[in-house]
Amino acid sequence: MFKHQIKGVFFDLDGTLVDTAPDMALALNLQLEAHGKSTLDYEVIRPWVSHGAAALIKLAFNIAPTDKDFEGYRQEYLDIYSNNLCIKSRLFPYIDKLLGYFESNSIKWGVVTNKPEFLALPLLTSLGLKDRAASIVCGDTIKPSKPSPVPLFLACNQAQLPSNQCIYIGDAERDIQAAKAASQFSIAANYGYLTEKDNIREWGAEFIVNNSKDLYHYFCTTNT
């Protein structure tokens, strides 16, 4: 996609736009401590962050969603995380510079995430992003969520943009699936929260970036 064709760029939140893993890991370890269990190394937790609270509970307590205690643990985790939402979470390097580039060149940008509104909106507000975004679609804003293209279509509607002139960037296969179903150019963020089982080159993204600096340079120095 040539730069002059781009009307909008949408980001996944966790692992693509914002490095939220430090706070999500903190919350999980606080929960483990509260239950008298050993904490987990950050490197163990980080790859699972993009898969949400359910994946983190399964990792920490080794129980399945069908377990009678699972939902209680999940709600407890969300409560702890909501109280530690933006302690160490920050934009990935060069992302704020990239957003400034978009804004200076009349390219609208937004966020399409499966993170629920009660977590995503306060986080974006704390980081000074909520009022800058042309659209914000969260996991409970509309159903079905990603990998359905429905959230991306809603984001385009909010931003008053044609879907086929937008780009979606994410660090999970469901992000690329959603982008393709919405006829959007897709970029896979290899710097995000990927597990050992994730083979990013099999997702079918039009482009892969290995770090957020490369993402900045992709838009600011290329015409592809």
Side-chain angles (χ1 to χ4, degrees):
M1 178 178 285
F2 292 93
K3 284 195 290 184
H4 69 271
Q5 295 176 315
I6 299 170
K7 302 298 182 184
V9 179
F10 301 114
F11 295 85
D12 177 48
L13 181 54
D14 301 285
T16 303
L17 185 70
V18 180
D19 187 6
T20 55
D23 290 333
M24 294 184 74
L26 169 65
L28 190 64
N29 279 330
L30 288 174
Q31 184 181 19
L32 284 168
E33 288 178 344
H35 287 273
K37 295 182 178 294
S38 299
T39 58
L40 297 174
D41 289 342
Y42 174 73
E43 292 75 16
V44 173
I45 299 174
R46 186 184 189 275
W48 296 99
V49 167
S50 278
H51 298 281
L56 294 175
I57 292 303
K58 183 178 179 181
L59 172 70
F61 295 95
N62 195 29
I63 58 174
T66 53
D67 190 286
K68 63 181 178 63
D69 296 322
F70 188 90
E71 185 58 23
Y73 279 126
R74 191 182 74 87
Q75 288 296 333
E76 181 183 56
Y77 172 78
L78 291 174
D79 289 341
I80 296 171
Y81 177 48
S82 67
N83 290 320
N84 296 275
L85 194 59
C86 198
I87 297 174
K88 294 184 178 180
S89 293
R90 298 289 184 271
L91 287 168
F92 282 99
Y94 283 82
I95 292 294
D96 192 53
K97 192 174 181 180
L98 177 59
L99 299 182
Y101 171 83
F102 291 154
E103 291 161 354
S104 297
N105 287 274
S106 300
I107 298 172
K108 295 180 180 180
W109 66 269
V111 176
V112 180
T113 175
N114 280 0
K115 203 180 193 78
E117 288 184 356
F118 84 96
L119 296 173
L121 296 181
L123 174 62
L124 291 169
T125 299
S126 295
L127 293 171
L129 299 175
K130 183 174 179 290
D131 292 335
R132 293 172 63 184
S135 61
I136 299 174
V137 178
C138 303
D140 50 356
T141 304
I142 193 171
K143 294 293 184 181
S145 54
K146 298 178 297 181
S148 167
V150 168
L152 285 174
F153 288 138
L154 177 58
C156 290
N157 186 57
Q158 290 177 348
Q160 298 182 314
L161 296 172
S163 188
N164 63 0
Q165 290 183 313
C166 294
I167 290 175
Y168 187 58
I169 308 165
D171 69 323
E173 186 174 15
R174 63 180 172 272
D175 299 323
I176 307 308
Q177 292 170 338
K180 287 184 171 298
S183 299
Q184 295 187 7
F185 187 92
S186 59
I187 297 178
N190 200 26
Y191 59 86
Y193 308 142
L194 279 69
T195 69
E196 291 181 354
K197 295 180 180 180
D198 288 315
N199 189 336
I200 196 169
R201 300 195 180 279
E202 292 183 351
W203 297 354
E206 278 80 13
F207 196 73
I208 298 172
V209 289
N210 289 319
N211 55 66
S212 51
K213 182 178 181 180
D214 286 349
L215 183 63
Y216 170 77
H217 286 300
Y218 174 81
F219 286 101
C220 300
T221 64
T222 73
N223 289 302
T224 57

